[in-house]
């Protein structure tokens, strides 16, 4: 099989081809093929977007590929490489020999403040290189939310079982809204009412985009982040409220859009738990012990055979 | 890379996969070929799993998409229009899983659902073909055919020949001296007294017989043997207990001599077995003196096998020679010492043992696989470490098999088989990994604190007492038998493998827990079947189709020997030495299920399961060397029972369905917390629903685990 690289959408960095090679007959510039600045239409206001990035935030990435190396170069605004990281092979695919999970953890704390982008060069083939949106590196976290997210099992081409936890910093803020509760009430014979049980909970609203808005590529990343079963917002576990959907806040002729969505507590605790030695703001990780004998093959005859199926996505 | 979460296949009954080739033709392949077009509504797959009350395993009900499009529709159309609606078609759904280790990973698919497409509901509407889905899992075949009887040849390579070397039957005879007038005996030594047998408990063919003719004297021992007027014929060496109580009136007309009342015993060749112990009574007779005496006594002697025995009076100074013989007149009358005439005044008891025969039997593991093969057309395998290592090792045969008839068949069904195995071993049966698994109940309620499925915090807890597990009384054992004359009724009241009834200390329900089996394990029944129909190859018997369970020693010489390992420690039977199937006794079946009883009788440890009644009053007890006493009719205090498997409470909860927990294990305990982690609960799945495609929250019903402390629930108000 020729060199193939899978870049899961759940990664916090949005990569697009350095050379999109879009045929001249196609006019549409899809956001997942071009960086934001290259997708602006003539009638739209010129704009730029820089992903805010705190210097102490590590950039965790995961790929799957059947070749090596996967080199990640951090380039400054003059396209000079200031940092190079090679993704490490962390697991080999037992069913597709040659395929590996690659992971990289990029530490940008030593870099000066400023704009940077990441260049992903797969193997020796520069024509397949991928570049990221521009990142604005600083020690300023004002009006940003750091989303940390992972799923309890593999999902959307990411093998979370390796222990990888993604982090994505987005412009935005959280706002507390009116609290709620689930109540069970009781009226006696003369209609004196009392509460038998009541479970109060906090309601939140997340604003993505701060005052300017964000491009499509970033809200897609954020939407992916909310698709997993563990997501924290600046360290607090919050989850989508029942029926929550993104609401857009747009301005005419502006491509950057603001978004809001209702959230509830992911950990609705009756107490604040204080323990200086522990992170008390995380959820118990569920451990499933799997028994090999429970599986059968397609004929139902044998217990533990692996069914090899070739498929294409 | 990761691919579809589910793959769909259509396959035939041979597990070959249907697909449509580039020309639109229907093809089959042994290699999995998934449908290119997933059936419409794929996200509606649902699995409802419920514990089967009869089998203690699980039933599954599937809700699967029914609208096939493109290649799926074309395959079904090709089959329906070309092959007919009876053509078996199966829909197979695989769910994606991840292999993950320290060094490797990989996506693979494992079986989620295999169900049958019911082409009788075929509906072709433009591009869509709709057909109902039947539960194609083995559980559907079980439901449909669990009570269908199947025939199995007993004479197969897998059969285990078993030596049926018989049970010593205690036969007894009562007789009266049948002499109305005195008989003059002139100078003859041996007198055969004529006895008229009044009642017998013996086999009609062999054993004791009435002497014929009248009391007669013979010159010597050879003449006695030649008379063929033996009272008894033995087949095995036996003790012979003789009780006598008759009156002897003897007129001496000359000489002085002795009177011996003696068993004269001869080998089959007519050789006298001259054993002084055979003398029952000795009296001195004086010339000219009338002798009138009530002769009374009891004595046990030992007789060799295959001998004939004659009860004689001998008049001689020497029992073996004609010295001092006299001219006398005898009158042996039926007057007993209590003065009653006509009452039996002779009784004797002895053992009778039918010659050994060999019968073919089917091992439990083999019979289980054969039953499942019949039910599923050979599509499913079985797994049972219990049956593979059965202790006691039970084999099965039919009445015809026990008779040794060629071509004998065993007729049974899976439900009957399970009922027996459950009664004796306390088992559950369910489907794991496409195989039917039969193991002890403890297997299905894994008492492990580490191998658990931790689902974290649950919500909407509701606790109830599960009355399905309560019972007021319990029946256990085998069909009661009345050994009528045709079967022979000797000793039959000492049969212990009958139905027992027990009373539980539960008054809130009137449920009877019925653990009785239709299989038989009565040793007398097996023995009578062998004896009464010996050599009769065309005779019909009500027991011909009965299934007999026999406990044997699995290792050792062929044919296998009956399991008599407990016999040295048995009391309360007529002949403990040759008894068999004691290890299948109702009480031992009871004890095999005691962990289940204990589980059902929660917080009743101060009370007992009380023996109520049994069909026959056999007070068998087994005093094992390790101090264990197994007394058939003794009550069982509940606190002495083995540890519980569960407690009879159910927890209804709602949990997030992150994964299909049930595919992970049917056995492991699910542990959860409630009320913000302040209460820990554990339980085994009773009922669960799952929608793998959506991971929607699901309602679970759990059976409380044995180690769950329920008193903290007092403080639950939410």
């Amino acid at each position: 099989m020729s060199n193939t690289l899978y870049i899961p959408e759940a990664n916090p960095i949005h990569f697009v081809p350095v050379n999109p090679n879009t045929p001249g007959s196609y006019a549409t510039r899809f956001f997942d093929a071009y960086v934001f600045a290259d997708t602006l239409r003539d009638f739209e206001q010129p704009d730029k977007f820089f992903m805010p990035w705190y210097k102490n935030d590590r950039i965790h990435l995961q790929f799957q590929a059947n070749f090596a190396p996967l080199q990640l170069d951090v380039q400054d605004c003059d396209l000079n490489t200031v940092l190079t990281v090679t993704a490490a092979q962390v697991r080999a695919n037992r069913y597709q020999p040659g395929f590996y999970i690659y992971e990289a953890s990029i530490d940008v704390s030593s870099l000066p403040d400023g704009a940077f982008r990441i260049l992903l060069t797969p193997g020796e083939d520069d024509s397949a290189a991928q570049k990221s949106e521009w990142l604005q590196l600083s020690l300023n976290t004002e009006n940003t939310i750091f989303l940390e997210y992972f799923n309890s099992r593999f999902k959307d081409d990411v093998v979370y079982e390796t222990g990888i936890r993604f982090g994505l910093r987005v412009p935005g803020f959280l706002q507390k809204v009116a609290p709620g509760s689930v109540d069970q009430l009781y009226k006696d014979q003369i209609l004196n009412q009392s509460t038998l049980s009541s479970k109060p909970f906090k309601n939140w609203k997340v604003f993505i985009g701060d005052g300017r808005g964000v491009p499509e590529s970033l809200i897609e990343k954020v939407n992916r982040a909310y698709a997993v079963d563990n997501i924290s917002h600046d360290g607090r576990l919050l989850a989508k409220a029942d029926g929550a959907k993104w609401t857009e806040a747009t301005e005419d002729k502006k491509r950057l859009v603001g978004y809001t969505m209702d959230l509830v507590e992911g950990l609705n605790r009756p107490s604040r738990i204080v323990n200086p030695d522990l992170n008390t703001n995380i959820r118990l990780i569920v451990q499933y012990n799997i028994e090999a004998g429970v599986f059968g093959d397609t004929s139902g005859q044998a217990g533990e055979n692996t069914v090899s199926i070739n498929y294409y996505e | 890379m990761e691919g579809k979460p589910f793959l769909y296949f259509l396959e035939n009954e041979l597990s070959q996969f249907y697909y449509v080739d580039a020309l639109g033709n229907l093809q089959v392949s042994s290699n999995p070929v998934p449908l290119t077009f997933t059936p419409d509504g794929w996200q509606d797959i649902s699995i409802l799993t419920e514990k089967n009350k009869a089998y203690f395993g699980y039933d599954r009900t599937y809700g699967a998409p029914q609208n096939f499009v493109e290649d799926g529709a074309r395959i079904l159309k090709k089959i329906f229009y070309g092959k007919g609606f009876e053509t078996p078609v199966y829909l197979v759904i695989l769910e994606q899983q991840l292999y993950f280790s320290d060094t490797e990973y990989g996506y693979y698919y494992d079986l989620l659902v295999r169900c049958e497409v019911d082409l009788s509901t075929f509906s072709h509407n433009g591009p869509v073909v709709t057909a109902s889905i039947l539960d194609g899992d083995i559980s559907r075949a079980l439901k449909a055919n669990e009570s269908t009887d199947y025939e199995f040849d007993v004479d197969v390579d897998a059969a285990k020949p078993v030596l049926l070397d018989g049970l010593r039957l205690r036969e007894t005879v009562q007789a009266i001296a049948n002499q109305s007038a005195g008989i003059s005996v002139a100078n003859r030594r041996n007198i055969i007294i004529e006895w008229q047998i009044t009642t017998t408990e013996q086999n009609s063919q062999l054993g004791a017989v009435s002497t014929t003719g009248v009391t007669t004297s013979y010159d010597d021992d050879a003449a006695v043997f030649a008379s063929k007027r033996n009272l008894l014929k033995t087949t095995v060496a036996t003790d012979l207990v003789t009780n006598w109580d008759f009156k002897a009136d003897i007129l001496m007309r000359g000489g002085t001599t002795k009177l011996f009342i003696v068993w004269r015993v001869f080998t089959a060749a007519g050789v006298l077995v001259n054993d002084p112990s055979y003398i029952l009574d000795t009296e001195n007779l004086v010339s000219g003196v009338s002798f009138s005496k009530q002769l009374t006594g009891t004595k046990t002697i030992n007789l060799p096998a295959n001998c004939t025995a004659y009860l004689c009076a001998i008049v001689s100074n020497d029992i073996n020679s004609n010295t001092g013989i006299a001219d006398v007149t005898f009158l042996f009358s039926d007057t007993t010492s209590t003065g009653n005439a006509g009452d039996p005044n002779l009784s004797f008891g002895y053992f009778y043992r039918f010659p050994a025969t060999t019968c073919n039997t089917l091992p439990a593991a083999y019979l289980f696989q054969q039953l499942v093969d019949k039910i599923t057309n050979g599509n499913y395998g079985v797994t049972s470490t219990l049956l593979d290592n059965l202790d006691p090792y039970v084999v099965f045969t039919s009445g015809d098999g026990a008779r040794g008839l060629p071509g004998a068949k065993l007729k049974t069904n899976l439900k009957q088989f399970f009922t027996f195995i459950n009664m004796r071993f306390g088992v559950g049966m369910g489907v794991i990994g496409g195989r039917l698994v039969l193991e002890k109940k403890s297997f299905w309620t894994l008492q492990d604190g580490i191998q658990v499925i931790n689902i974290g915090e649950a919500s909407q807890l509701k606790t109830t007492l599960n009355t399905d597990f309560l019972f007021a009384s319990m029946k256990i054992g085998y069909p009661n038998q009345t050994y009528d004359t045709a079967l022979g009724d000797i000793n039959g009241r000492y049969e212990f493998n009958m139905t027992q009834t027990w009373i539980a200390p539960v008054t809130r329900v009137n449920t009877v827990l019925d653990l009785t089996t239709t299989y038989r394990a009565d040793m007398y029944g097996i023995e009578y079947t062998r004896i009464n129909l010996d050599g009769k190859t065309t005779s019909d018997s009500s027991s011909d189709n009965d299934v007999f369970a026999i406990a044997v020693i699995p290792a050792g010489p062929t044919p296998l020997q009956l399991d008599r390992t407990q016999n040295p420690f048995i009391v309360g039977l007529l002949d403990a030495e040759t008894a068999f199937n004691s290890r299948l006794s109702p009480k031992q079946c009871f004890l095999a299920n005691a962990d289940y009883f204990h589980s059902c009788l929660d917080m009743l440890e101060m009370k007992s399961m009380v023996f109520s009644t049994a069909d026959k009053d056999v007070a068998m007890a087994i005093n094992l060397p390790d101090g264990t006493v197994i007394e058939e009719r003794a009550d069982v205090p509940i606190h002495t029972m083995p540890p519980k498997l569960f407690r009879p409470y159910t927890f209804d909860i709602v949990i997030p369905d992150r994964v299909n927990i049930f595919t992970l294990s049917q056995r492991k305990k699910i542990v959860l917390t409630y009320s913000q982690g302040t209460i820990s609960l554990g339980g085994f799945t009773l009922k669960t629903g799952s929608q793998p495609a959506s991971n929607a929250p699901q309602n679970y019903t759990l059976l409380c685990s044995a180690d769950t402390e329920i008193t903290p629930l007092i403080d639950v108000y939410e």
Side-chain angles (χ1 to χ4, degrees), chain B residues 387-674:
Chain B
L387 297 184
D388 291 340
N389 305 281
L390 214 51
D391 184 25
Y393 192 80
V394 185
V395 292
F396 302 92
T397 191
S398 62
D400 281 349
R403 292 168 63 181
L405 295 180
K409 295 185 185 306
L410 187 153
K411 300 173 184 175
T412 188
N413 60 55
L414 185 64
K415 192 171 187 179
Q416 291 174 342
F417 176 81
F418 174 84
T419 302
F420 170 79
I421 297 293
N422 180 44
M423 181 189 75
R424 180 55 188 86
F425 299 99
V427 299
M429 184 168 71
V431 180
I432 295 179
R435 300 174 70 85
L436 189 61
V437 177
L438 180 72
E439 299 292 355
K440 288 178 79 70
K441 284 193 174 70
S442 55
F443 172 90
W444 300 97
T445 50
L446 193 61
Q447 307 294 314
D448 192 309
I450 298 172
Q451 291 191 73
V452 299
I453 300 172
N454 189 332
I455 59 173
E457 183 81 1
S459 65
Q460 301 176 42
L461 172 69
K462 191 172 93 175
T463 307
T464 50
L465 174 65
N466 192 325
T467 54
D468 288 346
F469 288 99
L470 303 187
F471 56 92
S473 62
M474 186 273 294
K475 290 163 63 177
I476 195 167
Y478 306 87
N480 292 329
Q481 301 292 328
T482 301
Y483 300 118
D484 54 23
T485 306
L487 285 171
D489 54 3
I490 30 174
N491 305 171
R493 66 181 294 273
Y494 282 89
E495 178 56 57
F496 48 84
N497 280 338
M498 298 288 154
T499 300
Q500 291 182 350
T501 303
W502 294 76
I503 304 297
V506 172
T507 60
R508 304 298 180 188
V509 298
N510 57 9
T511 310
V512 179
L513 176 63
D514 188 353
L515 294 180
T516 57
T517 173
T518 56
Y519 289 5
R520 294 175 59 180
D522 50 320
M523 58 181 182
Y524 285 108
I526 295 169
E527 195 64 1
Y528 297 154
T529 300
R530 282 201 318 134
I531 296 171
N532 290 333
L533 299 164
D534 178 42
K536 302 175 184 175
T537 58
T538 62
S539 296
D540 191 26
S541 166
S542 60
S543 61
D544 284 350
N545 290 327
D546 289 349
V547 176
F548 288 100
I550 305 172
V552 299
I553 303 292
T558 300
L560 301 180
Q561 309 291 306
L562 295 172
D563 185 347
R564 294 191 170 105
T565 51
Q566 290 183 336
N567 289 28
F569 318 110
I570 295 177
V571 295
L573 295 182
L574 271 180
D575 183 51
E577 187 180 333
T578 60
F580 59 93
N581 274 357
S582 68
R583 299 191 68 192
L584 305 183
S585 76
K587 186 57 170 291
Q588 297 193 52
C589 296
F590 177 112
L591 296 175
N593 286 278
D595 53 359
Y596 178 78
F597 301 151
H598 194 185
S599 307
C600 299
L601 304 172
D602 191 50
M603 292 195 270
L604 292 167
E605 275 77 5
M606 299 302 290
K607 300 191 175 177
S608 297
M609 286 276 284
V610 178
F611 177 82
S612 174
T613 184
D615 183 59
K616 301 186 190 303
D617 300 329
V618 185
M620 182 174 76
I622 303 171
N623 303 301
L624 295 172
D626 65 359
T628 305
V629 177
I630 305 171
E631 200 174 342
E632 284 295 308
R633 303 163 75 91
D635 299 346
V636 181
I638 291 167
H639 70 85
T640 65
M641 294 178 177
K644 298 172 190 172
L645 304 172
F646 57 86
R647 302 179 76 180
Y649 312 103
T650 52
F651 303 131
D652 289 293
I653 54 169
V654 176
I655 63 170
D657 192 13
R658 296 188 186 92
V659 293
N660 181 8
I661 287 173
F662 199 80
T663 64
L664 299 183
S665 176
Q666 299 184 34
R667 309 170 44 203
K668 291 174 183 169
K669 184 168 51 185
I670 293 173
V671 297
L672 57 99
T673 59
Y674 194 72

Side-chain angles (χ1 to χ4, degrees), chain B residues 209-228:
Chain B
V209 290
S210 294
T211 56
T212 56
V214 296
T215 299
T216 310
S217 60
Y218 297 89
D219 287 338
D220 52 26
D221 297 321
V224 169
F225 180 73
S227 76
K228 303 298 182 189

